[in-house]
Amino acid sequence: MNVLLIYPASDNAFSKVGFILPPLGLGYIASVLINASHKVKIHDFNVQHDGISFEGFDITGISANTSRHKKALQIAREAQKAGLKVVMGGPHVTFMDEDTVMNDGIDFVVRNEGEDTFLELIDTIENGLSLSGIKGISYKENGRFRRNPDRPAIKDIDSIPLPARDLMQMGRYNTLEMAKRKTSSIVTSRGCPLDCSFCASSFSSMGWRARSIEPVVDEVEMLNKEYGFGGIAFLDDNFTLKPSRTIEISKEIIKRGLDIRWWCFSRVDTIAKNEEMVKWMSESGCRHIFMGIESVNQDVLNSYNKKYSAGKAKQAVEMLRDYKIETMASFIFGDIKETKTMMLETIRYAKKLNPGSAQFTILTPYPGTRLYNEIKDRLITDDWDKYDCMNSVMRLDYVSAEELKEILFYAYKSFYIRPSRIITSLLSSIRGRGVKIGKIKNLISTLKAT
């Protein structure tokens, strides 16, 4: 069959500061379909701003998280009018499958990991077979909602072919730079067992599964030598979950003599107690680590189920600084019982820590998270466009939605628009390190206007 895979444009805290990377999830699905002799095209609205044509395609697969759900539905209706079968996948629809399927324009939802499920669905449609045996799909049958049993997680993720990057316009993904190097992304593991209450990693319940060391570094080397990427972003939910594995990957990068700079997601407690791992990461080219510091208040951290003390953040940031690794720190406002005073304390703490860059967001209860299930009665909107971590979508005890937005604006302005920080940001921009100050100014302007 002829398959069109679509990635709607993002509009969140990451995209506002120029953090746009290839849709590797669709790339993996594309590779699996191509291996089964299907013809595939990928259209990413983040970098392909021209119109889209549905002509010549039989079926479309649309990937969407919560904040892109409405855009995905609009695209789906257009595709269905053009005569295509429409399939949606991704975190949001996995947990809101009935709500999604019963919309006009949607034929199927593929839940959780999509590679095997989407392939089986396409083959079943092509051969006119029964849908009842396909695990992991939801659909309408005679106007009624049907949810087939879940499909087990893919245990051996080494068996999945590499993403079809040749179907992506890789030259357009140049908005993220590291040390003045063009940067692209890799995923080396799936899942995270740590259960932060707000985590939108929808497949965490499927268990943590890691790729082998050699194939991971083979992919790094391929991106470096064949595509010319000198920067690598490891997009695992928690790249350092197993420190010994992180050390092995670092040593293999060094062994092969790869001249790269890289960053990853990690945790405060993991960094603080694994100095040897940090040393090897630095030696292999790690220059940035994104960590969720979230708050200076221990009660807030406990409510997020972070499982570490607030004081650990200072230890982690200082250790990374000693090894010339810049911290990209995340802070969250909007816990139900958080007061304005507590939020301001976190802003002061962020400035005192002075990480390489800081991201401030509003606590957002995504479907499928423990937080969402706990606070459903507090939701003040079901407009999924607002679920972008920049808007308040639930009722708090002590801070109004308007006050929360003002605090978010103040956090960015207070952190970045201060003399010492402006100088640091300008120097970082010159050196090609960190988030460029122009991107932050754009974000602050956006917050002020909304």
Side-chain angles (χ1 to χ4, degrees):
M1 296 185 81
N2 293 325
V3 183
L4 176 61
L5 300 178
I6 300 175
Y7 200 62
S10 300
D11 188 22
N12 53 34
F14 288 103
S15 62
K16 289 182 190 300
V17 295
F19 194 91
I20 300 173
L21 293 167
L24 294 185
L26 290 184
Y28 277 112
I29 290 174
S31 290
V32 169
L33 298 182
I34 290 168
N35 284 356
S37 300
H38 296 288
K39 294 181 180 179
V40 184
K41 179 181 178 181
I42 294 176
H43 188 101
D44 180 1
F45 277 97
N46 288 292
V47 296
Q48 295 168 260
H49 306 299
D50 48 342
I52 186 170
S53 173
F54 299 108
E55 188 175 350
F57 295 100
D58 306 301
I59 189 167
T60 183
I62 306 171
S63 176
N65 59 13
T66 301
S67 63
R68 292 182 290 123
H69 185 64
K70 285 173 66 175
K71 293 178 183 175
L73 288 177
Q74 182 179 357
I75 295 168
R77 295 185 186 105
E78 293 172 3
Q80 195 175 68
K81 285 180 182 177
L84 281 68
K85 290 287 185 183
V86 177
V87 184
M88 286 186 67
H92 182 88
V93 301
T94 288
F95 299 105
M96 303 292 286
D97 56 334
E98 183 171 4
D99 177 71
T100 302
V101 165
M102 299 312 289
N103 271 283
D104 294 335
I106 308 297
D107 295 297
F108 305 96
V109 161
V110 167
R111 306 191 308 274
N112 295 312
E113 293 174 315
E115 289 89 354
D116 293 345
T117 305
F118 196 28
L119 175 60
E120 185 178 352
L121 175 61
I122 289 175
D123 289 343
T124 298
I125 293 172
E126 187 173 38
N127 294 303
L129 302 176
S130 171
L131 299 169
S132 61
I134 306 175
K135 292 183 177 179
I137 66 167
S138 303
Y139 57 101
K140 288 189 289 279
E141 186 176 65
N142 299 322
R144 300 183 65 181
F145 175 72
R146 289 286 304 271
R147 179 189 292 127
N148 289 359
D150 289 339
R151 182 180 295 269
I154 300 172
K155 293 182 179 179
D156 179 15
I157 63 172
D158 277 334
S159 66
I160 307 171
L162 292 180
R165 290 185 172 91
D166 57 314
L167 298 184
M168 305 178 199
Q169 299 193 18
M170 297 295 288
R172 296 192 179 188
Y173 296 97
N174 58 3
T175 54
L176 176 69
E177 292 185 359
M178 188 160 22
K180 293 187 177 179
R181 298 172 180 225
K182 192 169 63 168
T183 299
S184 195
S185 50
I186 288 177
V187 176
T188 81
S189 66
R190 292 185 177 184
C192 178
L194 296 175
D195 194 31
C196 296
S197 67
F198 55 79
C199 184
S201 175
S202 64
F203 310 138
S204 296
S205 62
M206 304 185 81
W208 184 73
R209 293 146 293 147
R211 295 169 57 195
S212 302
I213 306 301
E214 293 268 336
V216 166
V217 185
D218 285 345
E219 188 175 4
V220 172
E221 189 167 10
M222 179 268 293
L223 280 175
N224 179 237
K225 295 183 177 178
E226 294 183 22
Y227 284 93
F229 288 106
I232 299 295
F234 291 107
L235 295 186
D236 308 42
D237 294 319
N238 187 344
F239 181 72
T240 61
L241 183 67
K242 187 177 179 182
S244 61
R245 176 177 181 269
T246 305
I247 292 173
E248 286 185 67
I249 291 173
S250 299
K251 287 183 175 180
E252 186 64 22
I253 290 172
I254 295 169
K255 177 183 174 182
R256 299 194 192 188
L258 297 177
D259 179 21
I260 62 167
R261 298 293 179 264
W262 59 273
W263 77 263
C264 67
F265 293 100
S266 187
R267 279 174 57 98
V268 164
D269 50 345
T270 304
I271 295 298
K273 63 186 180 184
N274 286 285
E275 185 171 359
E276 182 187 4
M277 177 189 74
V278 172
K279 177 180 77 72
W280 283 107
M281 292 170 75
S282 177
E283 289 187 17
S284 66
C286 180
R287 292 296 178 267
H288 303 270
I289 291 181
F290 185 102
M291 292 193 303
I293 295 174
E294 320 308 12
S295 175
V296 70
N297 186 279
Q298 193 62 51
D299 289 337
V300 172
L301 289 177
N302 292 343
S303 76
Y304 295 159
N305 198 34
K306 294 302 289 188
K307 298 179 180 176
Y308 56 73
S309 63
K312 284 289 182 185
K314 183 174 185 291
Q315 182 182 346
V317 171
E318 289 180 350
M319 181 187 294
L320 292 179
R321 191 175 285 132
D322 288 343
Y323 284 95
K324 295 181 172 53
I325 298 175
E326 203 167 82
T327 299
M328 305 172 74
S330 166
F331 300 92
I332 299 177
F333 306 124
D335 183 60
I336 289 170
K337 297 190 177 302
E338 194 173 8
T339 65
K340 183 176 181 179
T341 298
M342 292 158 66
M343 296 176 191
L344 293 176
E345 286 175 352
T346 292
I347 295 171
R348 285 193 291 271
Y349 186 58
K351 291 191 287 186
K352 184 178 179 180
L353 286 177
N354 200 30
S357 57
Q359 172 188 280
F360 301 96
T361 56
I362 292 174
L363 183 64
T364 302
Y366 289 108
T369 63
R370 184 154 51 82
L371 175 65
Y372 181 84
N373 294 327
E374 290 173 352
I375 59 84
K376 279 183 180 180
D377 60 333
R378 288 177 173 264
L379 294 178
I380 58 178
T381 180
D382 59 0
D383 180 355
W384 301 121
D385 283 353
K386 300 292 186 183
Y387 285 64
D388 59 357
C389 297
M390 309 303 286
N391 288 281
S392 178
V393 298
M394 63 181 181
R395 177 174 47 81
L396 309 184
D397 284 351
Y398 305 111
V399 180
S400 70
E402 292 76 17
E403 288 175 317
L404 191 54
K405 197 68 178 284
E406 290 173 0
I407 288 170
L408 183 66
F409 171 73
Y410 172 74
Y412 276 105
K413 184 178 178 181
S414 177
F415 185 87
Y416 284 102
I417 311 301
R418 52 190 167 117
S420 62
R421 190 70 210 184
I422 290 173
I423 293 170
T424 301
S425 297
L426 286 172
L427 289 173
S428 293
S429 294
I430 291 168
R431 294 167 184 162
R433 297 170 58 191
V435 179
K436 293 183 178 180
I437 192 168
K439 300 288 188 180
I440 295 297
K441 286 183 176 178
N442 290 340
L443 175 56
I444 292 173
S445 297
T446 301
L447 288 171
K448 187 177 181 180
T450 57

